[in-house]
Amino acid sequence: MATRTVEGISNSSTTIFSRVRYPRVLAENGSVVRYSLTDAYAKYLTVTIDDGQYAKTNKPVYYMPDSSKQFVYLVTDKYIMKVDHADKKVKWKLALSKIKSVELVNEPHDALKVVSMEKEKSVFGTGSNIVRLLDSLDKEYLHKFKNKLNIEIARVFKEQSEYENVDY
């Protein structure tokens, strides 16, 4: 009788929580801002990808699912990354400070073409500039993503030029 009572108590004490929505993102000064699913999911990605490697050093800005919905493109204040949605692993990343150009292309399908200043490394030495095509099912996502990416790139280059012009 006592063992069944203990079993009943131990079985009833397990609670399963399921998240209704992603946690709210706070403003840089710590104040509470209006809930945004886009901001919350982008923050969730930075905390969970590669076991939280980017959580403290990268501020999420925007994300966009790719056409297969298996990957997500994420813009932070330092990088643009392609993240495997299921594995929460970064497939590739480019530093915003190394991006040469961003343009919309429609060959073979609608996509963003991101060209890096860095050269591809090969067995024969360095090759051409690194080029990444970012695809999405929604053209509106592409335009928003391009705008957010260009804003962040401009901010990074402005910070670099201000840093270089400081007299020591």
Side-chain angles (χ1 to χ4, degrees), residues 8-161:
I9 292 171
S10 66
N11 287 342
S12 66
S13 66
T14 57
T15 308
I16 299 173
F17 292 102
S18 61
R19 183 166 293 286
V20 177
R21 68 180 192 185
Y22 297 106
R24 179 183 302 275
V25 175
L26 300 176
E28 287 185 26
N29 63 2
S31 63
V32 177
V33 294
R34 185 175 176 191
Y35 184 79
S36 164
L37 180 60
T38 303
D39 294 344
Y41 184 69
K43 178 65 176 176
Y44 167 77
L45 282 175
T46 58
V47 170
T48 56
I49 55 176
D50 289 343
D51 298 323
Q53 178 181 348
Y54 303 100
K56 293 186 179 176
T57 59
N58 287 266
K59 182 183 132 215
V61 176
Y62 198 69
Y63 76 94
M64 172 182 72
D66 77 336
S67 58
S68 71
K69 295 190 178 180
Q70 179 184 357
F71 298 100
V72 174
Y73 301 109
L74 177 66
V75 176
T76 70
D77 59 338
K78 296 180 181 156
Y79 297 105
I80 179 172
M81 302 180 228
K82 184 175 185 178
V83 179
D84 187 321
H85 185 60
D87 294 340
K88 301 289 188 275
K89 299 286 182 198
V90 173
K91 295 300 175 191
W92 56 258
K93 68 180 178 182
L94 292 174
L96 296 181
S97 60
K98 303 290 184 188
I99 293 179
K100 183 177 181 180
S101 66
V102 178
E103 61 182 286
L104 285 168
V105 295
N106 51 9
E107 296 281 331
H109 56 279
D110 291 333
L112 274 180
K113 181 180 178 182
V114 179
V115 181
S116 174
M117 290 183 250
E118 295 178 333
K119 304 284 185 180
E120 298 223 28
K121 295 178 177 82
S122 67
V123 180
F124 306 108
T126 57
S128 60
N129 292 40
I130 297 172
V131 176
R132 301 285 188 228
L133 284 178
L134 288 61
D135 61 336
S136 178
L137 290 174
D138 191 350
K139 200 168 190 172
E140 186 177 326
Y141 259 124
L142 286 171
H143 285 284
K144 284 183 182 178
F145 196 80
K146 179 182 183 237
N147 290 340
K148 297 282 187 179
L149 183 56
N150 282 331
I151 289 168
E152 283 304 302
I153 292 170
R155 183 193 54 76
V156 166
F157 281 108
K158 181 181 177 196
E159 286 177 0
Q160 281 181 343
S161 66

